[in-house]
Amino acid sequence: MMSLAFGSNGITFTGSVSGDVYEWKGFTLSRVISRAHSGPVFAMYTCPEDGAIVTGGKEKICGEGGMVKVWDNSMSRSREFPLAGPQRIVVRSLFRSKGRILIGSQDNAVLELLENGGRIHCVIQGHGEGELCCLATNPLHPSLFLTGSQDKTIRLWDLENKMLSSQLLLNHIATAADVSPDGRFAIVGLACGEFILLNLSNGKIEVVDKKRDRRKWIRSVRFSPKGDLLAVGSDEPSLDFYLMSPSASKIDRRLGSARGISSGMTAIDWSTDGQFVQVDTKEHMKEVFHVSSGGLIEDPTSTSSITWTSWT
């Protein structure tokens, strides 16, 4: 049993993983409401105002989104409210008062449903299950930032308006991200070794290019200060350098790779002139490489005069 609600006259209702709802009188099963939902009934709520029972869960019908149903206190009749959206909504918690239903979803969203008309309003939302793997701020618009999570989504947030501006569902976990110096594009590394170029210029997330030269997790990505070059580090371990197109709207080609990198990296930083990169490795080492040759610079005196874009 996945959920529970109380009816009148000592009746208890329990929602099952099959979508059926069971009616109990004390310890005795008195009735089965077959296929109350087409999937697990994760949430039930008894309204103190009128005794109505609200149910919701995960629908299994292909192509169907979530569903909330409001039943009478005997669960004999119901009104249905489909939860349409770009992704299937899995209901995890419910609350009802004065013609409004609050819905807590599996992907950390709180939705408000108006029973009169069925209009749905998103109160707040976040990433779904799993860790937040990457975050990148927009250099030109500090109130905008990009996040990626193990829920396989990339999301663009607006701090000023406290809202989610756009999101993109991926086939793999987003593991690293960076926004170009002009704020128009973002690069996102994936767990499969691929990285994708996103257009952010219209306030939405649009994939414009992608490339894959490695098979393991992309751990760090970073645009050069001018935005004309790109550094991509993976768990192989590898550190690759790419040339961007003049408009930065396409990944032109791979220029080369760093030689002698000791382990996978956790962060990348460019020199202000775009000639060097320094990386922090998983073995807690800082290593500096010349971009044009890919060579490791081992003499500390040779790197002491380098000015870095940031210190990571």
Side-chain angles (χ1 to χ4, degrees), residues 103-118:
I103 303 163
S105 75
Q106 182 171 285
D107 63 350
N108 290 338
V110 176
L111 309 173
E112 182 184 55
L113 169 65
L114 300 182
E115 293 184 50
N116 185 10

Side-chain angles (χ1 to χ4, degrees), residues 39-248:
V41 184
F42 286 132
M44 302 182 74
Y45 177 76
T46 304
C47 306
E49 300 168 356
D50 55 7
I53 296 172
V54 188
T55 62
K58 180 180 180 180
E59 304 297 328
K60 287 186 175 180
I61 299 176
C62 181
E64 182 178 331
M67 178 78 71
V68 168
K69 296 185 179 183
V70 179
W71 306 75
D72 58 23
N73 60 6
S74 63
M75 289 200 72
S76 300
R77 300 182 302 276
S78 69
R79 289 177 291 152
E80 298 183 353
F81 298 94
L83 306 178
Q87 300 179 46
R88 180 172 298 182
I89 298 172
V90 179
V91 178
R92 284 293 186 171
S93 60
L94 291 164
F95 176 82
R96 175 178 179 260
S97 179
K98 299 178 180 179
R100 299 172 183 265
I101 301 172
L102 284 179
I103 303 163
S105 75
Q106 182 171 285
D107 63 350
N108 290 338
V110 176
L111 309 173
E112 182 184 55
L113 169 65
L114 300 182
E115 293 184 50
N116 185 10
R119 187 175 67 86
I120 300 174
H121 166 66
C122 182
V123 179
I124 190 171
Q125 63 186 130
H127 280 283
E129 185 177 359
E131 297 180 3
L132 188 71
C133 300
C134 55
L135 184 151
T137 57
N138 191 312
L140 292 188
H141 306 283
S143 66
L144 300 178
F145 65 97
L146 197 71
T147 58
S149 165
Q150 288 183 335
D151 65 1
K152 298 182 181 179
T153 65
I154 284 287
R155 304 188 185 219
L156 182 64
W157 304 89
D158 185 339
L159 273 178
E160 184 175 343
N161 296 304
K162 297 180 175 62
M163 62 177 289
L164 176 69
S165 296
S166 181
Q167 66 176 324
L168 177 68
L169 180 62
L170 306 170
N171 293 324
H172 301 276
I173 297 171
T175 54
D178 190 36
V179 179
S180 62
D182 62 8
R184 296 187 302 134
F185 297 95
I187 198 78
V188 174
L190 306 179
C192 64
E194 184 178 75
F195 57 97
I196 56 178
L197 183 66
L198 308 176
N199 185 357
L200 309 177
S201 57
N202 60 356
K204 302 295 182 181
I205 302 175
E206 177 189 6
V207 179
V208 293
D209 201 4
K210 59 184 178 180
K211 198 167 184 64
R212 181 178 178 182
D213 291 316
R214 303 296 176 181
R215 296 184 178 275
K216 294 188 177 181
W217 281 46
I218 302 298
R219 288 294 182 182
S220 189
V221 292
R222 185 61 64 90
F223 283 101
S224 66
K226 294 182 179 180
D228 57 335
L229 300 174
L230 178 67
V232 179
S234 80
D235 271 353
E236 292 205 1
S238 65
L239 176 60
D240 299 315
F241 306 115
Y242 294 86
L243 177 67
M244 303 297 295
S245 67
S247 62

Side-chain angles (χ1 to χ4, degrees), residues 231-282:
V232 179
S234 80
D235 271 353
E236 292 205 1
S238 65
L239 176 60
D240 299 315
F241 306 115
Y242 294 86
L243 177 67
M244 303 297 295
S245 67
S247 62
S249 61
K250 183 177 176 60
I251 305 163
D252 194 347
R253 67 182 187 277
R254 183 167 64 169
L255 296 174
S257 303
R259 301 190 308 272
I261 190 164
S262 60
S263 66
M265 64 212 63
T266 58
I268 299 173
D269 194 15
W270 284 85
S271 63
T272 54
D273 59 8
Q275 296 187 33
F276 304 92
V277 295
Q278 65 173 348
V279 301
D280 292 333
T281 72
K282 290 183 176 180

Side-chain angles (χ1 to χ4, degrees), residues 277-296:
V277 295
Q278 65 173 348
V279 301
D280 292 333
T281 72
K282 290 183 176 180
E283 296 179 350
H284 307 292
M285 300 289 291
K286 186 182 80 170
E287 297 174 341
V288 180
F289 296 90
H290 199 286
V291 174
S292 61
S293 67
L296 174 65

